[in-house]
Amino acid sequence: MRWLRWRGLKSAPFSESMRAMKPPGEFMMVLRNTDWNGAMSVDEVTAAIDRYNAWFERLVAEGVVTGGRPLLAGGRVVTLSGDGKAVDRPFVESKETIGGYILLNVPDLDAAVAVAKTFPPVMLGVSLEIRELTWPCPVSQRHEARLTEGEPAH
């Protein structure tokens, strides 16, 4: 709260600990179409997994990959209903379902794309969406700007 008083703000759009969470140059590769092994032999799948593991371990050792996990199919979606209540419903599977993610520590989007192009499962039909992580969220960033500019609260 100290920085709020220093900046003359009335409320905290986000906390100091939240500000410290996002290091620069952090990107996420979102993996889609991860059911690539259906028509492959056991030996072909083993070779593909070996290529992926070697890629992953090399980039972890280089400090480029900082984390990642596969995601199980299914889950739930939570949305706002027409009467203003939060409701959950089953997640509908599709070909574009997210199958996992990998976190990258690279200087910029071009470097993240270069890493993604070397991802062995891309050759098997897995597609990647690359997104830069940010903190605080864009809503909080816009809100802080409004507070800093002195927009009156209603």
Side-chain angles (χ1 to χ4, degrees):
M1 290 298 280
R2 226 177 282 150
W3 74 264
L4 289 173
R5 284 191 292 275
W6 172 75
R7 296 181 72 180
L9 300 179
K10 295 178 183 169
S11 66
F14 42 87
S15 72
E16 287 298 316
S17 60
M18 292 170 124
R19 289 177 181 278
M21 292 177 75
K22 195 262 181 208
E26 192 172 34
F27 292 81
M28 176 184 285
M29 292 192 329
V30 178
L31 288 61
R32 298 180 187 274
N33 306 328
T34 56
D35 291 332
W36 49 265
N37 63 319
M40 297 172 73
S41 71
V42 170
D43 289 341
E44 290 170 325
V45 173
T46 298
I49 290 170
D50 288 346
R51 283 190 301 275
Y52 166 77
N53 286 338
W55 177 90
F56 193 86
E57 292 302 323
R58 178 178 56 81
L59 292 177
V60 166
E62 293 173 4
V64 172
V65 169
T66 60
R69 301 284 299 267
L71 299 173
L72 292 174
R76 305 290 285 184
V77 175
V78 177
T79 59
L80 189 63
S81 69
D83 62 0
K85 294 181 182 174
V87 296
D88 67 281
R89 58 182 170 80
F91 179 79
V92 179
E93 296 292 332
S94 73
K95 185 177 180 183
E96 291 293 313
T97 298
I98 297 171
Y101 68 94
I102 297 173
L103 299 174
L104 303 176
N105 180 22
V106 293
D108 55 36
L109 182 58
D110 290 337
V113 169
V115 170
K117 288 179 177 180
T118 70
F119 185 60
V122 166
M123 304 308 160
L124 302 170
V126 173
S127 64
L128 302 173
E129 176 183 343
I130 303 166
R131 303 287 300 270
E132 184 172 9
L133 301 180
T134 186
W135 198 262
C137 76
V139 170
S140 292
Q141 291 174 21
R142 289 188 300 270
H143 183 63
E144 180 180 356
R146 290 172 70 189
L147 290 172
T148 302
E149 293 166 4
E151 185 175 317
H154 298 286

